[in-house]
Amino acid sequence: MRQTSLAFRAGACCGAFSRIPPLRLAGRVAGVAGLIVDIDGLAGHVSIGDRLLLETRDGRAVPAEIVGFRADLAQAMPFEAIEGLGPGSPAVSAAEADSRFAVSDDWLGRVLDPLGRPLDGKGALPLGKAPRVLRAAAPEATSRARLGPRLDLGVRALNCFTTCRQGQRLGLFSGSGIGKSTLLAMLARRTQCDLVVLALVGERGREVREFLEDDLGPEGLARSVVVVATSDAPPLLRRHAAYAAMTVAEHFRDQGRSVMLLMDSVTRFCLALREIGLSTGEPPATRGYPPSVFAELPRLLERAGPGLQCPDGTAGQITALFTVLVEGDDHNEPVADAVRGILDGHVILDRRIADRGRYPAVDVLRSLSRAASSCLAAEETAMLRRARAILALHEEMADMVRLGAYRSGTDPVVDEAVQLAPRIEAVLHQDKTEHAPMADSFAGLRNALGDD
């Protein structure tokens, strides 16, 4: 009887505790300088990454995040416009400002912002049962699975010359206006994977709808989750677009599925980090980027790839392609150089190739997949080596041939390059509506080389 009484009392206490309203820590806005909002009264109770709600004079709640501390003040950065904030405005830490992401399987075919709010007019997003932390750690290096079999990307130039394996991470390096978005749409529609997660970080607002409806299309959107933060969004929202997309991809990877993550672009993610870092007082380093940018890059990029290996040897995979918008077509600028050193390969889009009218404008001589050698047959490796040699020699001799300084028959190797290089270029050309399976890609290259 005594045990029953104790159990009853314990249950009653738990019920009473559950009815207690959650603790709401409240502070006040002490000042606003640029992108930073100084908050008094919370410095001893909050930490980096905690969410707040800032109340404007007209009653609007502006979500914000703690990004630093200065003396007794907490420094927050808002996710939205801060018009209406002033000294004395309330700053509240509350459950509704939770930084976790409740990803659901029903998000396929939806477009959302980095805070999990729908942008497609299709109603509220269903919430998953297990919220995930946005800034999670990468899987343990010694426990995660190895790369899977080679992946059919549906693009001849990539299938042949930068052959990709499941779980591999590639960088797409491109200047502006060379066809980067069109290539991403081709990959989203044609890659042989279970689903696609697409992050548009700092994208032009005018182009988002055109990309979704014209480039991606209903076919691509149906199997995609799209996270959007346009160029006019605050830097914190642009930064979180990358985290949110990675979190969605991890949700599906942990189910054992093959996920294609397309992020456009890492450069704009770094620009958002730069704005945040400089606003919190970090010193500028390489080309104005503070040190935290290059510390944060591997934390994000390493999260992609194979998941933890299950006892039966299986694992989900995030095959990722991160675009890098190189400034002034300088492929050695700091962000491009750092990303290239972290990823498992790089694809270069060249403006001169685009000017000649060959799309996708992939420079196969400068592009590289570090995992290709382990997934290619010996015959395929020899064929690709020969094709690269022909293209390299033709590029070297092109000016002499064009000026008439080279006479046919002088060198049989050069004659072969002059004859076969245009045929290889024809294989690399692909319309954005065309699908090129892996087997057909290698067959087309073999035919161009006359190896049938």
Side-chain angles (χ1 to χ4, degrees):
M1 186 71 180
R2 180 179 177 81
Q3 293 179 350
T4 303
S5 177
L6 286 174
F8 175 79
R9 291 178 180 180
C13 287
C14 290
F17 287 144
S18 66
R19 291 190 294 272
I20 296 177
L23 178 65
R24 295 170 63 90
L25 299 172
R28 295 285 176 179
V29 173
V32 179
L35 303 175
I36 295 296
V37 179
D38 291 328
I39 299 172
D40 190 17
L42 292 180
H45 307 283
V46 293
S47 58
I48 298 293
D50 285 352
R51 294 281 182 86
L52 305 172
L53 289 176
L54 309 177
E55 185 177 330
T56 63
R57 298 191 188 280
D58 58 0
R60 182 170 58 93
V62 178
E65 182 177 299
I66 300 295
V67 295
F69 296 92
R70 181 173 59 85
D72 295 330
L73 299 176
Q75 294 181 307
M77 186 169 285
F79 286 98
E80 298 175 359
I82 57 175
E83 282 76 15
L85 281 180
S89 295
V92 180
S93 175
E96 57 265 34
D98 196 348
S99 61
R100 294 176 296 172
F101 220 53
V103 186
S104 169
D105 293 354
D106 296 327
W107 286 12
L108 281 175
R110 301 299 302 271
V111 183
L112 58 143
D113 77 354
L115 298 181
R117 300 174 298 196
L119 298 176
D120 51 11
K122 297 180 180 178
L125 287 166
L127 299 180
K129 297 180 180 178
R132 307 178 68 97
V133 178
L134 277 177
R135 302 181 69 176
E140 182 64 37
T142 56
S143 303
R144 68 192 310 175
R146 301 185 59 165
L147 296 178
R150 66 186 185 186
L151 183 67
D152 186 355
L153 300 177
V155 180
R156 280 190 294 270
L158 303 185
N159 277 343
C160 292
F161 290 92
T162 56
T163 311
C164 180
R165 296 176 62 182
Q166 288 185 10
Q168 189 172 344
R169 302 162 307 171
L170 292 171
L172 177 61
F173 296 78
S174 168
S176 58
I178 309 182
K180 169 173 48 66
S181 297
T182 301
L183 180 56
L184 288 181
M186 293 171 67
L187 292 171
R189 293 195 307 268
R190 303 304 183 190
T191 300
Q192 295 300 302
C193 58
D194 295 327
L195 67 138
V196 176
V197 178
L198 181 60
L200 301 179
V201 183
E203 188 66 55
R204 302 177 187 89
R206 177 192 62 79
E207 295 180 351
V208 171
R209 185 172 176 183
E210 294 178 1
F211 178 82
L212 295 176
E213 296 179 359
D214 300 338
D215 294 331
L216 190 60
E219 176 188 0
L221 183 59
R223 64 168 191 159
S224 302
V225 180
V226 184
V227 181
V228 178
T230 54
S231 59
D232 60 335
L236 206 61
L237 203 62
R238 284 180 271 135
R239 184 190 72 173
H240 270 58
Y243 296 143
M246 187 67 73
T247 303
V248 173
E250 289 172 334
H251 167 81
F252 291 104
R253 178 187 65 187
D254 292 346
Q255 298 177 355
R257 304 171 80 172
S258 175
V259 183
M260 184 69 175
L261 172 64
L262 303 173
M263 188 173 295
D264 183 21
S265 70
V266 171
T267 302
R268 296 191 181 108
F269 168 74
C270 291
L271 291 175
L273 291 178
R274 182 170 68 178
E275 292 179 50
I276 295 169
L278 295 178
S279 296
T280 56
E282 275 195 83
T286 309
R287 292 200 187 178
Y289 289 99
S292 62
V293 173
F294 301 102
E296 194 65 32
L297 262 179
R299 295 194 191 111
L300 173 71
L301 303 182
E302 286 288 351
R303 290 169 63 180
L308 295 175
Q309 185 166 318
C310 300
D312 61 357
T314 61
Q317 305 277 358
I318 298 178
T319 307
L321 196 146
F322 301 96
T323 71
V324 179
L325 186 63
V326 292
E327 298 180 1
D329 290 344
D330 178 11
H331 289 265
N332 294 317
E333 56 94 15
V335 172
D337 206 35
V339 171
R340 190 165 45 242
I342 298 170
L343 300 182
D344 308 317
H346 49 271
V347 178
I348 306 296
L349 296 187
D350 191 282
R351 191 175 302 277
R352 294 173 302 170
I353 296 176
D355 291 342
R356 295 201 303 262
R358 197 258 280 170
Y359 290 96
V362 177
D363 187 339
V364 298
L365 296 178
R366 298 165 61 198
S367 301
L368 172 70
S369 169
R370 294 192 176 104
S373 59
S374 57
C375 65
L376 292 173
E379 178 266 336
E380 293 171 336
T381 301
M383 179 175 60
L384 290 174
R385 187 178 296 118
R386 182 181 174 218
R388 286 180 183 273
I390 289 173
L391 291 174
L393 181 58
H394 183 264
E395 181 176 315
E396 180 182 344
M397 299 295 297
D399 289 340
M400 293 184 64
V401 173
R402 191 177 300 112
L403 294 173
Y406 174 78
R407 182 175 300 175
S408 178
T410 303
D411 187 335
V413 178
V414 175
D415 292 343
E416 181 188 48
V418 172
Q419 178 187 1
L420 296 182
R423 298 172 60 178
I424 299 174
E425 288 286 332
V427 171
L428 298 178
H429 177 78
Q430 184 174 339
D431 188 80
K432 65 179 183 179
T433 60
E434 181 184 356
H435 179 215
M438 180 75 72
D440 293 350
S441 300
F442 280 102
L445 181 60
R446 189 178 297 109
N447 181 63
L449 293 173
D451 292 343
D452 288 347

